[in-house]
Structures are given as structure tokens and as C-alpha cells.
Amino acid sequence: MMHFNQTLRPIDVPMSKNQIVRARTWPDFPTSKSPVSFGEATCMEQLLVHCANAIENNDATLAQQILWVLNNIAPPDGDSTQRLACGFLRALIIRAAKTGNCKLLITAMANVHSNDLAMTNHKFSIIELASFVDLTPWHRFGFTAANAAVLEAVEGYHVVHIVDLSLTHCMQIPTLIESLAIRPEGPPLVKLTVVGATEDFPPMLDLSYGELGTKLVNFARSRNVAMEFKVIPSSSSSGFASLIEQLKMQHFVRTQNDNEALVINCHMMLHCVPELEIPNTDSSSLRTMFLKELRCLDPTIVVLVDEDADFTSNNLVNRLRSAYNYLWIPFDMVDTFLPRGSKQRQWYEADICWKIENVISHEGIQRMERLETKSKWVQRMRNASFRSVGFSEDAISEVKNILDEHAAGWGLKKEEKDLVLTWKGHNVVFATVWFPM
């Protein structure tokens, strides 16, 4: 993340002869790296909102003035609130550089440090990614809750087909294999199908899915579990259409075998399916159609884990407010356990800044981060003819145990039949389990 001190000035936009620039006054803001109070954080959010409005209204002069103010109060190495605002500052500059008169602000990107891009584009080794995922319960919460529910649902099945729709490159699977290996009735044959999405979004892996599959098959063999691995190239922009077609072809084979379970594991990937309308169909969107197609496969169980926020608004300001009031959580969280300057912290915050940039700077199919709240997903699943199933007490106990391994501030609450991970009382990630109706 760059700091724009040398590229932005209060007024630096060519003006026509008839254009009059009046100085705008701003409230007093700190220009040091001292911690930002709650009131100042609120003002910072308001500045970001005013800047977004100026960009949308094609007011390059006002936009640059606000960016200059933000640049002075949001250093990339400040406290958590300042670093959060710095992420939005960069995203707004990227958006401004593509918008009308604000294209003149492209000069503000001249000094982007190559190191910032390297942090975002870092490709993890398997060991690095496993360590990265284990840093917080952000992913572990969902892994643990989902695996516990899956183990109960596939009890007694000789074949377990897992369709892993996950952005974490199968990091959940080894623990599930170990649990299946020690089943009282013996381990099943595990068929693992994964989607090789074409979009390059973090975290990225430094090996191919073919190589990843070989490692997983060898790991399963070391636990005396037979495994078959298959990767289906697909794209979220098409609603994973090729995945559905492949699974339909396998559906007939499965119906001939009453002892094969189909597990659909959705871990923070379904929100990447575009919420775009489909003409000449009964389904209102790709997302709705995808869930209905999953239901037609008659899965044994569907587990849906995702982040509990709403980034779907077509209005930039509404989206900015939602993102700002959700993505403060990871910035606040890393301050509790990762030292400044550590590679892991840089990778973690680069991942969050990628989200901010995607939510703020892009539109159409380029905007992958289209989170929806738990309540919206619950309604979607019900509309697709799934029924909600609660978590067992054993599953809840396992989740509580992994939370005990992490910093204070994490919590767990039960909402009806669902589990929700919280940070300082705020919803972070939800986990839900579904059976076909």
C-alpha cells in the first residue's frame, strides 16, 4: 500500500477559463501517526463517502482535495483504522483514474510501490498457506463446523463424493480425511472434485491443481484412505456452469449406487457467483439458478460458510459504507497477534486490500466480492428447496475448542440453527447446514 504524500496536492487539476475554484474548509484532522479516536474514525468514513460521491459526480477538483486530506490522515503504517482508510484511499484513486474528468488523477498512481503489488500477488506454498489459514479462526471456524456436520451426514456410506467449492485450495480436506480414516465402520472411498476458477484472486497457490491433487491423494493414502481427485476448470462469471454439467453427468452413476454420499462444501466461494439477471429464464439470476441446479443433484448435505456482510449494492456509497463497517474487523484483529512488518501481516492485509479494491474500484463481472448476509443466503437456500439442519452439540464443542486457541475477542453464537463467528460482538462468518427438502 502506497502513501500519496508526494503525488497529491489540494488542487492539481487543469481548469477551464470559466471554472472557479473555491477553497473548501475541512474539520481539523490529525496529520501524525497517532491513534485515531472513534469520532475521528467516523469523520474518516464520511470523507471517504464524500470522495466517492465526488468521483461519481465527476467532480475531479473536489475528489482530489478530499484524497489529499485522506492521504495526510491515513498512513499505510498507522493504526488499524488508518490502515483501513488507506486501503479505501487506494481503491478510490484507482476508481477515479477510470472515471470521466477524474481520469486526470491517474498521476496519483505514478509512485505505486512494486512491493505492494508483490504482497497482493504472492503465491503461497502449501506450508505457507496452511500457516496463513491457521492464523485466525476466520477460516478454521468454517472448516471445523463443516467437517463435523459432514462426518455425521456421511456415517455408514462406503463412498463419499465431496465437491469442494472453496477459495482456500482444499486446506479443509486433510483434517476431514483424518477424521474419515478413524471411523468405526472404516474409511470410505473419497472422491474429491474441486473447481479450478480462472480468476486470480488471493490467496494464490504456487502449484497447479494437478500437483495439489497428487499431494492430497498421497496424504490420504498415508492414512489408509483411498481417494480419487478431479479438477473441473470453471469460472465464477458463468456461475460455474461447467461444474454443474460435469456433476450432472456423474449424477446418474451415483443414483445407481445407494451407498454413495454427495457432499457440497461451499466455503466462501458462492458469493463470487455473479448476481446478474438471466433473460428468458424462470430464475432471476445466476446465483439463484446455481442453487437450483445444486438441488437437482440431490446432495446428501450442503454446507454453506461465508462472511456475514452485504456488498451487493449497485450504489458505490452504500457499498463503501458496508465494506468500511465490516472490513475494519480484520485490521483490528491482526493488531492483537501479528507484529508490524511481519510478512504474514503484510500478506493478510494485502488480501483485505484486494477485497476493498474489488468492491470499490470495479463493476460488472470484474466485481467478484459480492457478499450477502446470512439472512439472505438462508432465504435463497429455502427458495431452492433446501431445509436447514442444526449443528450437534459435539460440533459446537469442537468449534469452541478451536476458538480457545486464538486471541481473546473471538466469540461464538447460535442464531436459530446456524453458527456465527463474532469479533468483539460483531458478526464475522456464518456456518449453515442444509438437506434437500
Side-chain angles (χ1 to χ4, degrees), residues 350-391:
D351 181 89
I352 305 305
C353 287
W354 183 93
K355 287 178 180 286
I356 294 172
E357 180 181 329
N358 190 263
V359 170
I360 300 302
S361 305
H362 301 293
E363 297 294 347
I365 61 174
Q366 289 185 316
R367 180 153 59 85
M368 306 299 303
E369 288 293 321
R370 294 173 178 266
L371 295 175
E372 290 187 310
T373 60
K374 181 177 77 72
S375 60
K376 186 60 182 288
W377 279 112
V378 166
Q379 191 57 54
R380 284 188 180 280
M381 293 297 287
R382 288 173 178 166
N383 291 344
S385 297
F386 288 99
R387 63 182 176 89
S388 179
V389 183
F391 289 88

Side-chain angles (χ1 to χ4, degrees), residues 283-302:
S283 299
S284 60
S285 68
L286 280 172
R287 197 167 286 188
T288 299
M289 185 175 73
F290 183 73
L291 292 179
K292 289 183 177 180
E293 294 285 0
L294 286 184
R295 174 61 185 86
C296 290
L297 297 173
D298 194 28
T300 307
I301 183 175
V302 176

Side-chain angles (χ1 to χ4, degrees), residues 142 145-147 149-150 172 263-267 270 301-305 381 391 431-434:
N147 284 351
V150 168
Q172 177 179 345
V263 175
I264 309 292
N265 182 61
C266 307
H267 186 88
L270 286 195
I301 183 175
V302 176
V303 183
L304 173 55
V305 176
M381 293 297 287
F391 289 88
T432 60
V433 180
W434 303 87

Side-chain angles (χ1 to χ4, degrees), residues 21-253:
V21 179
R22 292 184 173 88
R24 295 170 171 89
T25 58
W26 301 102
D28 291 332
F29 287 97
T31 56
S32 68
K33 297 176 183 177
S34 59
V36 177
S37 70
F38 175 77
E40 289 164 348
T42 301
C43 289
M44 199 175 288
E45 179 187 359
Q46 289 302 314
L47 277 177
L48 290 167
V49 167
H50 288 316
C51 185
N53 274 321
I55 292 169
E56 293 302 276
N57 292 330
N58 209 19
D59 188 340
T61 302
L62 177 58
Q64 189 159 3
Q65 286 183 326
I66 303 174
L67 289 171
W68 179 82
V69 174
L70 285 167
N71 176 62
N72 282 279
I73 66 172
D77 56 350
D79 66 17
S80 60
T81 303
Q82 291 167 327
R83 300 196 309 277
L84 171 68
C86 188
F88 280 91
L89 167 63
R90 182 177 187 273
L92 285 170
I93 285 180
I94 293 171
R95 186 179 182 96
K98 301 185 293 185
T99 306
N101 291 338
C102 293
K103 287 181 181 179
L104 296 167
L105 294 177
I106 191 68
T107 55
M109 294 299 296
N111 293 333
V112 173
H113 301 310
S114 59
N115 185 55
D116 300 326
L117 300 177
M119 288 295 109
T120 304
N121 297 326
H122 175 74
K123 291 190 175 183
F124 291 85
S125 68
I126 288 289
I127 294 175
E128 283 178 339
L129 184 57
S131 176
F132 179 79
V133 167
D134 284 344
L135 279 174
T136 77
W138 203 282
H139 291 292
R140 291 189 71 200
F141 158 77
F143 291 173
T144 304
N147 284 351
V150 168
L151 284 171
E152 293 172 7
V154 303
E155 185 176 343
Y157 284 94
H158 295 160
V159 181
V160 177
H161 183 188
I162 304 166
V163 179
D164 190 40
L165 305 180
S166 170
L167 295 180
T168 55
H169 310 294
C170 301
M171 287 294 104
Q172 177 179 345
I173 301 302
T175 304
L176 181 58
I177 290 173
E178 289 183 326
S179 298
L180 290 170
I182 59 174
R183 291 197 316 178
E185 67 269 37
L189 166 65
V190 175
K191 298 178 180 179
L192 178 61
T193 298
V194 302
V195 174
T198 58
E199 290 81 16
D200 290 328
F201 43 77
M204 293 184 286
L205 206 56
D206 70 349
L207 73 167
S208 69
Y209 269 94
E211 294 169 315
L212 176 63
T214 299
K215 290 182 179 294
L216 285 169
V217 168
N218 290 337
F219 176 82
R221 186 181 297 120
S222 73
R223 301 300 191 270
N224 296 315
V225 176
M227 172 183 270
E228 299 174 1
F229 180 88
K230 184 173 185 178
V231 58
I232 300 177
S234 191
S235 169
S236 60
S237 62
S238 64
F240 302 114
S242 58
L243 168 70
I244 292 294
E245 291 305 312
Q246 291 280 346
L247 293 177
K248 282 180 177 178
M249 288 188 286
Q250 299 176 36
H251 180 59
F252 176 77
V253 176

